[in-house]
Amino acid sequence: MLTLHTEQCWTEFGKKCVGVHYGIYNAKDLDTFIESVRNGQDALKEHRIAFAKNEVMINYPHTTQKIYENLVQSIFDKKE
């Protein structure tokens, strides 16, 4: 079995991403995770939300809007 050592393989951002998610190593882990979430038990949910707001969604939705506008503009500029 291949084992990844996060301290050797991933960037600091990658380590943060892994830190807010559950480790699933086999079918039993997956079943346990699904049942826990179905029962409203998700100890990492608030951590994921905070991580997304503080690390991933910087300037959201403004950045997304600008990317969209640039894409639309570039498409229409090429047609003319």
Side-chain angles (χ1 to χ4, degrees):
M1 173 187 279
L2 175 65
T3 301
L4 296 177
H5 299 282
T6 59
E7 64 276 358
Q8 297 171 355
C9 297
W10 296 322
T11 64
E12 288 302 314
F13 181 76
K15 291 175 191 177
K16 289 178 183 180
C17 289
V18 170
V20 296
H21 291 85
Y22 295 96
I24 303 293
Y25 303 100
N26 54 46
K28 184 176 185 285
D29 290 347
L30 182 59
D31 289 341
T32 301
F33 167 74
I34 292 170
E35 284 301 313
S36 295
V37 172
R38 284 180 61 197
N39 292 326
Q41 300 169 344
D42 184 355
L44 294 177
K45 181 178 181 177
E46 295 303 318
H47 296 288
R48 283 192 307 278
I49 291 170
F51 174 74
K53 287 180 179 177
N54 297 322
E55 302 283 340
V56 179
M57 298 171 61
I58 299 181
N59 285 328
Y60 177 83
H62 307 293
T63 302
T64 305
Q65 184 64 35
K66 289 294 181 192
I67 292 169
Y68 171 77
E69 290 169 3
N70 286 339
L71 285 171
V72 169
Q73 186 64 42
S74 68
I75 290 169
F76 286 115
D77 282 347
K78 289 182 180 183
K79 287 184 175 183
E80 295 175 13

mmCIF file of all heavy atoms in Angstrom, residues 7-45:
data_model
loop_
_atom_site.group_PDB
_atom_site.id
_atom_site.type_symbol
_atom_site.label_atom_id
_atom_site.label_comp_id
_atom_site.label_asym_id
_atom_site.label_seq_id
_atom_site.Cartn_x
_atom_site.Cartn_y
_atom_site.Cartn_z
ATOM 1 N N GLU A 7 4.074 15.706 5.268
ATOM 2 C CA GLU A 7 5.177 16.626 5.515
ATOM 3 C C GLU A 7 6.220 16.594 4.404
ATOM 4 O O GLU A 7 7.009 17.500 4.266
ATOM 5 C CB GLU A 7 5.825 16.357 6.884
ATOM 6 C CG GLU A 7 6.487 15.005 7.019
ATOM 7 C CD GLU A 7 5.540 13.865 7.393
ATOM 8 O OE1 GLU A 7 4.340 14.106 7.595
ATOM 9 O OE2 GLU A 7 6.018 12.726 7.462
ATOM 10 N N GLN A 8 6.192 15.581 3.571
ATOM 11 C CA GLN A 8 7.159 15.460 2.482
ATOM 12 C C GLN A 8 6.556 15.744 1.108
ATOM 13 O O GLN A 8 7.267 16.148 0.205
ATOM 14 C CB GLN A 8 7.748 14.043 2.461
ATOM 15 C CG GLN A 8 8.523 13.692 3.705
ATOM 16 C CD GLN A 8 8.890 12.220 3.746
ATOM 17 O OE1 GLN A 8 8.489 11.448 2.894
ATOM 18 N NE2 GLN A 8 9.643 11.844 4.755
ATOM 19 N N CYS A 9 5.262 15.545 0.940
ATOM 20 C CA CYS A 9 4.653 15.574 -0.387
ATOM 21 C C CYS A 9 3.904 16.858 -0.726
ATOM 22 O O CYS A 9 3.830 17.214 -1.893
ATOM 23 C CB CYS A 9 3.671 14.419 -0.540
ATOM 24 S SG CYS A 9 4.440 12.808 -0.417
ATOM 25 N N TRP A 10 3.320 17.512 0.245
ATOM 26 C CA TRP A 10 2.405 18.595 -0.054
ATOM 27 C C TRP A 10 2.918 19.946 0.419
ATOM 28 O O TRP A 10 3.712 20.046 1.344
ATOM 29 C CB TRP A 10 1.041 18.327 0.564
ATOM 30 C CG TRP A 10 0.390 17.111 -0.030
ATOM 31 C CD1 TRP A 10 0.428 16.719 -1.321
ATOM 32 C CD2 TRP A 10 -0.373 16.133 0.653
ATOM 33 N NE1 TRP A 10 -0.291 15.564 -1.491
ATOM 34 C CE2 TRP A 10 -0.786 15.181 -0.299
ATOM 35 C CE3 TRP A 10 -0.767 15.968 1.966
ATOM 36 C CZ2 TRP A 10 -1.582 14.093 0.025
ATOM 37 C CZ3 TRP A 10 -1.551 14.878 2.286
ATOM 38 C CH2 TRP A 10 -1.946 13.954 1.319
ATOM 39 N N THR A 11 2.408 20.976 -0.203
ATOM 40 C CA THR A 11 2.715 22.339 0.210
ATOM 41 C C THR A 11 1.992 22.629 1.528
ATOM 42 O O THR A 11 1.150 21.847 1.974
ATOM 43 C CB THR A 11 2.230 23.352 -0.838
ATOM 44 O OG1 THR A 11 0.800 23.274 -0.915
ATOM 45 C CG2 THR A 11 2.855 23.101 -2.201
ATOM 46 N N GLU A 12 2.276 23.782 2.114
ATOM 47 C CA GLU A 12 1.575 24.175 3.341
ATOM 48 C C GLU A 12 0.073 24.274 3.094
ATOM 49 O O GLU A 12 -0.732 23.852 3.922
ATOM 50 C CB GLU A 12 2.123 25.498 3.875
ATOM 51 C CG GLU A 12 3.502 25.384 4.481
ATOM 52 C CD GLU A 12 3.573 24.380 5.633
ATOM 53 O OE1 GLU A 12 2.683 24.403 6.516
ATOM 54 O OE2 GLU A 12 4.511 23.566 5.634
ATOM 55 N N PHE A 13 -0.303 24.821 1.931
ATOM 56 C CA PHE A 13 -1.720 24.919 1.600
ATOM 57 C C PHE A 13 -2.339 23.525 1.491
ATOM 58 O O PHE A 13 -3.440 23.281 1.979
ATOM 59 C CB PHE A 13 -1.920 25.700 0.300
ATOM 60 C CG PHE A 13 -3.358 25.854 -0.083
ATOM 61 C CD1 PHE A 13 -4.174 26.763 0.583
ATOM 62 C CD2 PHE A 13 -3.906 25.101 -1.102
ATOM 63 C CE1 PHE A 13 -5.512 26.909 0.246
ATOM 64 C CE2 PHE A 13 -5.237 25.236 -1.457
ATOM 65 C CZ PHE A 13 -6.044 26.143 -0.777
ATOM 66 N N GLY A 14 -1.639 22.599 0.858
ATOM 67 C CA GLY A 14 -2.125 21.228 0.732
ATOM 68 C C GLY A 14 -2.322 20.576 2.089
ATOM 69 O O GLY A 14 -3.309 19.870 2.322
ATOM 70 N N LYS A 15 -1.397 20.817 3.001
ATOM 71 C CA LYS A 15 -1.512 20.274 4.352
ATOM 72 C C LYS A 15 -2.742 20.840 5.047
ATOM 73 O O LYS A 15 -3.454 20.127 5.765
ATOM 74 C CB LYS A 15 -0.261 20.594 5.159
ATOM 75 C CG LYS A 15 0.971 19.853 4.684
ATOM 76 C CD LYS A 15 2.184 20.319 5.455
ATOM 77 C CE LYS A 15 3.457 19.786 4.829
ATOM 78 N NZ LYS A 15 4.659 20.286 5.524
ATOM 79 N N LYS A 16 -3.014 22.144 4.840
ATOM 80 C CA LYS A 16 -4.204 22.750 5.437
ATOM 81 C C LYS A 16 -5.469 22.115 4.859
ATOM 82 O O LYS A 16 -6.435 21.863 5.592
ATOM 83 C CB LYS A 16 -4.213 24.255 5.193
ATOM 84 C CG LYS A 16 -3.179 25.006 5.986
ATOM 85 C CD LYS A 16 -3.229 26.491 5.641
ATOM 86 C CE LYS A 16 -2.167 27.279 6.367
ATOM 87 N NZ LYS A 16 -2.222 28.717 6.022
ATOM 88 N N CYS A 17 -5.470 21.864 3.552
ATOM 89 C CA CYS A 17 -6.634 21.232 2.912
ATOM 90 C C CYS A 17 -6.906 19.856 3.522
ATOM 91 O O CYS A 17 -8.050 19.532 3.850
ATOM 92 C CB CYS A 17 -6.407 21.081 1.410
ATOM 93 S SG CYS A 17 -6.435 22.613 0.481
ATOM 94 N N VAL A 18 -5.858 19.076 3.653
ATOM 95 C CA VAL A 18 -6.000 17.733 4.223
ATOM 96 C C VAL A 18 -6.476 17.809 5.668
ATOM 97 O O VAL A 18 -7.291 17.004 6.109
ATOM 98 C CB VAL A 18 -4.659 16.960 4.119
ATOM 99 C CG1 VAL A 18 -4.711 15.664 4.910
ATOM 100 C CG2 VAL A 18 -4.325 16.684 2.668
ATOM 101 N N GLY A 19 -6.014 18.826 6.382
ATOM 102 C CA GLY A 19 -6.354 18.954 7.787
ATOM 103 C C GLY A 19 -7.817 19.211 8.087
ATOM 104 O O GLY A 19 -8.267 18.984 9.207
ATOM 105 N N VAL A 20 -8.574 19.677 7.117
ATOM 106 C CA VAL A 20 -9.992 19.956 7.348
ATOM 107 C C VAL A 20 -10.902 18.899 6.731
ATOM 108 O O VAL A 20 -12.102 19.102 6.611
ATOM 109 C CB VAL A 20 -10.386 21.374 6.860
ATOM 110 C CG1 VAL A 20 -9.665 22.438 7.665
ATOM 111 C CG2 VAL A 20 -10.142 21.541 5.375
ATOM 112 N N HIS A 21 -10.315 17.780 6.343
ATOM 113 C CA HIS A 21 -11.086 16.671 5.779
ATOM 114 C C HIS A 21 -10.796 15.383 6.554
ATOM 115 O O HIS A 21 -9.762 15.254 7.191
ATOM 116 C CB HIS A 21 -10.752 16.480 4.296
ATOM 117 C CG HIS A 21 -11.253 17.604 3.459
ATOM 118 N ND1 HIS A 21 -10.545 18.764 3.270
ATOM 119 C CD2 HIS A 21 -12.411 17.761 2.790
ATOM 120 C CE1 HIS A 21 -11.232 19.589 2.510
ATOM 121 N NE2 HIS A 21 -12.373 18.999 2.209
ATOM 122 N N TYR A 22 -11.704 14.453 6.459
ATOM 123 C CA TYR A 22 -11.548 13.177 7.129
ATOM 124 C C TYR A 22 -10.653 12.251 6.309
ATOM 125 O O TYR A 22 -10.720 12.249 5.084
ATOM 126 C CB TYR A 22 -12.911 12.497 7.314
ATOM 127 C CG TYR A 22 -13.829 13.265 8.225
ATOM 128 C CD1 TYR A 22 -14.773 14.143 7.707
ATOM 129 C CD2 TYR A 22 -13.740 13.126 9.605
ATOM 130 C CE1 TYR A 22 -15.621 14.856 8.539
ATOM 131 C CE2 TYR A 22 -14.579 13.841 10.444
ATOM 132 C CZ TYR A 22 -15.513 14.702 9.906
ATOM 133 O OH TYR A 22 -16.338 15.411 10.726
ATOM 134 N N GLY A 23 -9.864 11.456 6.996
ATOM 135 C CA GLY A 23 -9.071 10.422 6.332
ATOM 136 C C GLY A 23 -9.934 9.194 6.111
ATOM 137 O O GLY A 23 -10.537 8.675 7.051
ATOM 138 N N ILE A 24 -10.024 8.757 4.887
ATOM 139 C CA ILE A 24 -10.785 7.546 4.548
ATOM 140 C C ILE A 24 -9.782 6.540 3.994
ATOM 141 O O ILE A 24 -9.180 6.780 2.951
ATOM 142 C CB ILE A 24 -11.870 7.842 3.491
ATOM 143 C CG1 ILE A 24 -12.825 8.940 3.960
ATOM 144 C CG2 ILE A 24 -12.628 6.578 3.112
ATOM 145 C CD1 ILE A 24 -13.706 8.580 5.124
ATOM 146 N N TYR A 25 -9.601 5.453 4.686
ATOM 147 C CA TYR A 25 -8.574 4.489 4.296
ATOM 148 C C TYR A 25 -9.130 3.165 3.814
ATOM 149 O O TYR A 25 -8.394 2.360 3.255
ATOM 150 C CB TYR A 25 -7.617 4.266 5.471
ATOM 151 C CG TYR A 25 -6.996 5.566 5.933
ATOM 152 C CD1 TYR A 25 -7.485 6.234 7.044
ATOM 153 C CD2 TYR A 25 -5.959 6.151 5.223
ATOM 154 C CE1 TYR A 25 -6.935 7.441 7.448
ATOM 155 C CE2 TYR A 25 -5.400 7.358 5.612
ATOM 156 C CZ TYR A 25 -5.900 7.990 6.736
ATOM 157 O OH TYR A 25 -5.361 9.182 7.121
ATOM 158 N N ASN A 26 -10.419 2.937 4.048
ATOM 159 C CA ASN A 26 -11.019 1.680 3.600
ATOM 160 C C ASN A 26 -12.536 1.847 3.562
ATOM 161 O O ASN A 26 -13.073 2.900 3.917
ATOM 162 C CB ASN A 26 -10.602 0.518 4.518
ATOM 163 C CG ASN A 26 -10.916 0.800 5.976
ATOM 164 O OD1 ASN A 26 -12.010 1.247 6.305
ATOM 165 N ND2 ASN A 26 -9.953 0.554 6.852
ATOM 166 N N ALA A 27 -13.217 0.803 3.130
ATOM 167 C CA ALA A 27 -14.671 0.861 2.982
ATOM 168 C C ALA A 27 -15.366 1.107 4.318
ATOM 169 O O ALA A 27 -16.360 1.842 4.381
ATOM 170 C CB ALA A 27 -15.193 -0.424 2.348
ATOM 171 N N LYS A 28 -14.841 0.545 5.391
ATOM 172 C CA LYS A 28 -15.447 0.738 6.711
ATOM 173 C C LYS A 28 -15.360 2.203 7.123
ATOM 174 O O LYS A 28 -16.328 2.767 7.657
ATOM 175 C CB LYS A 28 -14.765 -0.137 7.751
ATOM 176 C CG LYS A 28 -15.408 -0.061 9.115
ATOM 177 C CD LYS A 28 -14.734 -1.031 10.085
ATOM 178 C CE LYS A 28 -15.438 -1.056 11.419
ATOM 179 N NZ LYS A 28 -15.195 0.095 12.254
ATOM 180 N N ASP A 29 -14.225 2.853 6.874
ATOM 181 C CA ASP A 29 -14.085 4.279 7.171
ATOM 182 C C ASP A 29 -15.116 5.094 6.399
ATOM 183 O O ASP A 29 -15.715 6.031 6.931
ATOM 184 C CB ASP A 29 -12.685 4.789 6.807
ATOM 185 C CG ASP A 29 -11.600 4.276 7.715
ATOM 186 O OD1 ASP A 29 -11.909 3.715 8.795
ATOM 187 O OD2 ASP A 29 -10.423 4.432 7.343
ATOM 188 N N LEU A 30 -15.314 4.752 5.137
ATOM 189 C CA LEU A 30 -16.278 5.469 4.310
ATOM 190 C C LEU A 30 -17.699 5.279 4.848
ATOM 191 O O LEU A 30 -18.462 6.243 4.966
ATOM 192 C CB LEU A 30 -16.192 5.003 2.856
ATOM 193 C CG LEU A 30 -17.120 5.713 1.879
ATOM 194 C CD1 LEU A 30 -16.853 7.211 1.857
ATOM 195 C CD2 LEU A 30 -16.960 5.119 0.488
ATOM 196 N N ASP A 31 -18.046 4.056 5.179
ATOM 197 C CA ASP A 31 -19.369 3.786 5.744
ATOM 198 C C ASP A 31 -19.579 4.566 7.041
ATOM 199 O O ASP A 31 -20.637 5.160 7.255
ATOM 200 C CB ASP A 31 -19.555 2.291 6.015
ATOM 201 C CG ASP A 31 -19.692 1.467 4.747
ATOM 202 O OD1 ASP A 31 -19.998 2.053 3.685
ATOM 203 O OD2 ASP A 31 -19.492 0.244 4.826
ATOM 204 N N THR A 32 -18.565 4.574 7.902
ATOM 205 C CA THR A 32 -18.658 5.289 9.176
ATOM 206 C C THR A 32 -18.844 6.783 8.936
ATOM 207 O O THR A 32 -19.675 7.431 9.585
ATOM 208 C CB THR A 32 -17.397 5.034 10.022
ATOM 209 O OG1 THR A 32 -17.275 3.630 10.261
ATOM 210 C CG2 THR A 32 -17.452 5.776 11.340
ATOM 211 N N PHE A 33 -18.089 7.328 7.999
ATOM 212 C CA PHE A 33 -18.207 8.750 7.673
ATOM 213 C C PHE A 33 -19.609 9.082 7.175
ATOM 214 O O PHE A 33 -20.234 10.033 7.641
ATOM 215 C CB PHE A 33 -17.167 9.139 6.621
ATOM 216 C CG PHE A 33 -17.425 10.482 6.011
ATOM 217 C CD1 PHE A 33 -17.184 11.640 6.728
ATOM 218 C CD2 PHE A 33 -17.926 10.593 4.721
ATOM 219 C CE1 PHE A 33 -17.438 12.891 6.170
ATOM 220 C CE2 PHE A 33 -18.180 11.830 4.163
ATOM 221 C CZ PHE A 33 -17.933 12.981 4.894
ATOM 222 N N ILE A 34 -20.119 8.306 6.240
ATOM 223 C CA ILE A 34 -21.448 8.559 5.668
ATOM 224 C C ILE A 34 -22.517 8.490 6.757
ATOM 225 O O ILE A 34 -23.388 9.363 6.845
ATOM 226 C CB ILE A 34 -21.750 7.590 4.509
ATOM 227 C CG1 ILE A 34 -20.836 7.914 3.327
ATOM 228 C CG2 ILE A 34 -23.222 7.651 4.115
ATOM 229 C CD1 ILE A 34 -20.872 6.886 2.212
ATOM 230 N N GLU A 35 -22.462 7.490 7.594
ATOM 231 C CA GLU A 35 -23.449 7.353 8.664
ATOM 232 C C GLU A 35 -23.359 8.520 9.648
ATOM 233 O O GLU A 35 -24.381 9.040 10.096
ATOM 234 C CB GLU A 35 -23.281 6.023 9.401
ATOM 235 C CG GLU A 35 -23.807 4.847 8.633
ATOM 236 C CD GLU A 35 -25.298 4.995 8.309
ATOM 237 O OE1 GLU A 35 -26.101 5.356 9.202
ATOM 238 O OE2 GLU A 35 -25.665 4.768 7.144
ATOM 239 N N SER A 36 -22.155 8.943 9.973
ATOM 240 C CA SER A 36 -21.976 10.066 10.901
ATOM 241 C C SER A 36 -22.590 11.330 10.337
ATOM 242 O O SER A 36 -23.318 12.056 11.034
ATOM 243 C CB SER A 36 -20.493 10.299 11.186
ATOM 244 O OG SER A 36 -19.945 9.211 11.866
ATOM 245 N N VAL A 37 -22.312 11.623 9.079
ATOM 246 C CA VAL A 37 -22.847 12.834 8.454
ATOM 247 C C VAL A 37 -24.367 12.748 8.335
ATOM 248 O O VAL A 37 -25.069 13.731 8.580
ATOM 249 C CB VAL A 37 -22.163 13.097 7.097
ATOM 250 C CG1 VAL A 37 -22.839 14.239 6.354
ATOM 251 C CG2 VAL A 37 -20.689 13.402 7.302
ATOM 252 N N ARG A 38 -24.862 11.579 7.987
ATOM 253 C CA ARG A 38 -26.326 11.402 7.903
ATOM 254 C C ARG A 38 -26.991 11.659 9.243
ATOM 255 O O ARG A 38 -28.128 12.117 9.300
ATOM 256 C CB ARG A 38 -26.672 9.994 7.421
ATOM 257 C CG ARG A 38 -26.444 9.806 5.933
ATOM 258 C CD ARG A 38 -26.788 8.417 5.477
ATOM 259 N NE ARG A 38 -28.196 8.132 5.736
ATOM 260 C CZ ARG A 38 -28.715 6.927 5.757
ATOM 261 N NH1 ARG A 38 -27.956 5.876 5.534
ATOM 262 N NH2 ARG A 38 -29.983 6.742 5.991
ATOM 263 N N ASN A 39 -26.273 11.359 10.324
ATOM 264 C CA ASN A 39 -26.808 11.564 11.665
ATOM 265 C C ASN A 39 -26.493 12.957 12.211
ATOM 266 O O ASN A 39 -26.694 13.228 13.393
ATOM 267 C CB ASN A 39 -26.272 10.496 12.621
ATOM 268 C CG ASN A 39 -26.796 9.119 12.294
ATOM 269 O OD1 ASN A 39 -27.935 8.969 11.856
ATOM 270 N ND2 ASN A 39 -25.979 8.108 12.489
ATOM 271 N N GLY A 40 -25.976 13.821 11.346
ATOM 272 C CA GLY A 40 -25.707 15.193 11.752
ATOM 273 C C GLY A 40 -24.426 15.389 12.525
ATOM 274 O O GLY A 40 -24.218 16.422 13.150
ATOM 275 N N GLN A 41 -23.552 14.410 12.488
ATOM 276 C CA GLN A 41 -22.286 14.495 13.216
ATOM 277 C C GLN A 41 -21.153 14.750 12.233
ATOM 278 O O GLN A 41 -20.727 13.857 11.514
ATOM 279 C CB GLN A 41 -22.029 13.208 13.991
ATOM 280 C CG GLN A 41 -23.107 12.897 15.004
ATOM 281 C CD GLN A 41 -22.973 11.498 15.567
ATOM 282 O OE1 GLN A 41 -22.283 10.659 15.016
ATOM 283 N NE2 GLN A 41 -23.651 11.246 16.669
ATOM 284 N N ASP A 42 -20.672 15.974 12.201
ATOM 285 C CA ASP A 42 -19.572 16.338 11.306
ATOM 286 C C ASP A 42 -18.669 17.308 12.065
ATOM 287 O O ASP A 42 -18.817 18.522 11.984
ATOM 288 C CB ASP A 42 -20.117 16.976 10.026
ATOM 289 C CG ASP A 42 -19.036 17.300 9.009
ATOM 290 O OD1 ASP A 42 -17.835 17.126 9.314
ATOM 291 O OD2 ASP A 42 -19.393 17.730 7.904
ATOM 292 N N ALA A 43 -17.753 16.758 12.819
ATOM 293 C CA ALA A 43 -16.896 17.569 13.694
ATOM 294 C C ALA A 43 -16.020 18.546 12.914
ATOM 295 O O ALA A 43 -15.597 19.559 13.471
ATOM 296 C CB ALA A 43 -16.021 16.646 14.549
ATOM 297 N N LEU A 44 -15.764 18.287 11.660
ATOM 298 C CA LEU A 44 -14.880 19.151 10.880
ATOM 299 C C LEU A 44 -15.620 20.182 10.032
ATOM 300 O O LEU A 44 -14.991 21.005 9.370
ATOM 301 C CB LEU A 44 -13.972 18.307 9.974
ATOM 302 C CG LEU A 44 -12.965 17.416 10.691
ATOM 303 C CD1 LEU A 44 -12.176 16.585 9.678
ATOM 304 C CD2 LEU A 44 -12.033 18.234 11.555
ATOM 305 N N LYS A 45 -16.940 20.168 10.055
ATOM 306 C CA LYS A 45 -17.714 21.052 9.184
ATOM 307 C C LYS A 45 -17.362 22.521 9.406
ATOM 308 O O LYS A 45 -17.087 23.256 8.448
ATOM 309 C CB LYS A 45 -19.209 20.840 9.390
ATOM 310 C CG LYS A 45 -20.062 21.715 8.498
ATOM 311 C CD LYS A 45 -21.535 21.436 8.686
ATOM 312 C CE LYS A 45 -22.360 22.307 7.759
ATOM 313 N NZ LYS A 45 -23.784 21.986 7.879
#
